[in-house]
Amino acid sequence: MNRFGRMPVLLVLTCLAGSLYAQTPRIAVTGAIEWKKMEMRVSLALDLASAGLRLPTGRAQAEEIIAVEFASLLRPYILAIPVDSSTTVEDLIRLGSFSFLGPENIAGTAKRGYATLAPDFSSLSSASTLDLSILSSRLILHSRPMEIRRVLSPVPAASYSGIIIIASGELPVHGRRTGAFVTPCLFPKVWDTDMNLVYERNILDPAGAGKTLVRYAAEEDIFRDTPSGLSPEISALVGSNPLRIIARGVFGIRPTDPIIDREDALAILSLENNRRLLREGKVVIVLSDGALETRFEGAP
């Protein structure tokens, strides 16, 4: 039997990669999650001296080192992505709900940019962009949407083209004597002030909706000098006549879930067309500017 036959795949790959360079390279990682775009931007900067490389002959090998190390360097940041108010991608792997090699598979979908040299030629950097909607689509496991519970006493309600929840200010945290700004995650829930669950990922119709449960936006995206007051990107999702709701609170171990008035929830749930908006994911949550970007970095 091949002597690698019983070794874990990752260990074999690590052994093979180690033969590419004798010295341990230092690679700095910087990046951010841009929640408006549902993208993770990441830049890897290889210190050429630490890898024993010199230009111009070492450039190709430097690019190869970055390519080999890319997925493993990105793994901890993918693991830390919040899935909902209490769960990260790492939690899902521990619970057996996501493949151990899932983060590497997601990293493999990244769009890679051209490598560039630092002005002093000391390092080679490569920028990449990861579409987080690919990750969220792989975490939607149901094939049919959950039935939305209808209200016993429907209220008269207008028919809307989308739903916008404005949660950009500091809000009271349900069950605590404190306030917090809503923070983004892949699958936020929406509750009403009676703490009835209004919206969650299983309501989304995977056949008829997009790849994400909600779209995040800034205040400037809903106060434009346009007939609808919306940016073109937001208008394309929620139409020209959305229901605008001001969040009344926030809920969750991590403050990701906006709470809306019971009256607003009834306006959504009382009409089939408005319930359809939930199934189709035509929901926008407006957050503070500071919450819309999550920066990260790793020292070389």
Side-chain angles (χ1 to χ4, degrees):
M1 177 182 290
N2 187 305
R3 64 193 179 94
F4 290 125
R6 297 183 180 276
M7 296 178 69
V9 174
L10 285 180
L11 181 58
V12 174
L13 292 177
T14 301
C15 293
L16 293 176
S19 65
L20 294 176
Y21 36 87
Q23 296 177 245
T24 302
R26 294 199 305 270
I27 305 177
V29 182
T30 57
I33 297 177
E34 294 186 356
W35 290 99
K36 281 179 60 173
K37 297 180 179 180
M38 286 297 288
E39 291 180 347
M40 174 184 281
R41 294 183 292 101
V42 61
S43 176
L44 304 183
L46 170 65
D47 180 85
L48 297 176
S50 71
L53 300 176
R54 290 187 177 183
L55 297 174
T57 56
R59 177 170 182 139
Q61 191 172 355
E63 292 184 9
E64 187 175 8
I65 291 173
I66 290 177
V68 168
E69 297 290 340
F70 180 78
S72 62
L73 289 172
L74 221 61
R75 180 180 175 87
Y77 305 105
I78 295 175
L79 289 175
I81 294 174
V83 175
D84 54 34
S85 67
S86 61
T87 309
T88 64
V89 172
E90 183 174 17
D91 294 327
L92 294 183
I93 293 174
R94 187 170 61 250
L95 294 169
S97 301
F98 193 53
S99 166
F100 179 80
L101 293 179
E104 282 77 8
N105 292 334
I106 294 297
T109 68
K111 294 180 180 179
R112 311 284 288 276
Y114 293 106
T116 58
L117 286 167
D120 61 358
F121 303 106
S122 64
S123 63
L124 184 77
S125 298
S126 176
S128 302
T129 302
L130 190 66
D131 183 355
L132 292 184
S133 67
I134 296 175
L135 173 60
S136 64
S137 67
R138 293 185 183 181
L139 296 178
I140 296 175
L141 304 180
H142 61 278
S143 57
R144 300 179 62 182
M146 181 177 71
E147 185 69 25
I148 301 173
R149 185 169 55 187
R150 301 191 181 191
V151 294
L152 295 177
S153 301
V155 300
S159 181
Y160 295 100
S161 58
I163 300 168
I164 297 176
I165 301 174
I166 303 171
S168 52
E170 187 175 13
L171 296 169
V173 179
H174 179 77
R176 306 179 199 172
R177 295 181 178 178
T178 186
F181 288 90
V182 176
T183 60
C185 67
L186 296 180
F187 300 116
K189 297 180 177 71
V190 178
W191 306 80
D192 68 18
T193 44
D194 290 342
M195 296 313 294
N196 297 303
L197 185 59
V198 177
Y199 189 43
E200 55 116 328
R201 84 171 92 170
N202 290 313
I203 289 175
L204 194 69
D205 184 351
K211 297 179 180 180
T212 57
L213 187 69
V214 301
R215 175 78 174 265
Y216 290 108
E219 284 187 347
E220 65 179 21
D221 296 314
I222 63 167
F223 294 112
R224 292 288 185 90
D225 186 19
T226 62
S228 66
L230 307 175
S231 68
E233 296 80 10
I234 298 303
S235 182
L237 177 64
V238 299
S240 59
N241 182 39
L243 171 61
R244 297 177 184 239
I245 300 171
I246 297 177
R248 299 303 180 188
V250 62
F251 182 58
I253 296 173
R254 188 183 295 109
T256 59
D257 301 350
I259 300 171
I260 64 175
D261 275 332
R262 178 60 178 166
E263 290 76 10
D264 290 322
L266 289 174
I268 297 170
L269 301 176
S270 294
L271 202 64
E272 170 55 29
N273 176 75
N274 295 342
R275 293 192 295 270
R276 177 181 56 81
L277 302 177
L278 300 179
R279 289 193 293 269
E280 295 181 355
K282 294 188 175 183
V283 179
V284 170
I285 298 179
V286 178
L287 300 183
S288 64
D289 290 340
L292 289 168
E293 184 176 74
T294 304
R295 293 184 174 274
F296 57 84
E297 63 180 26

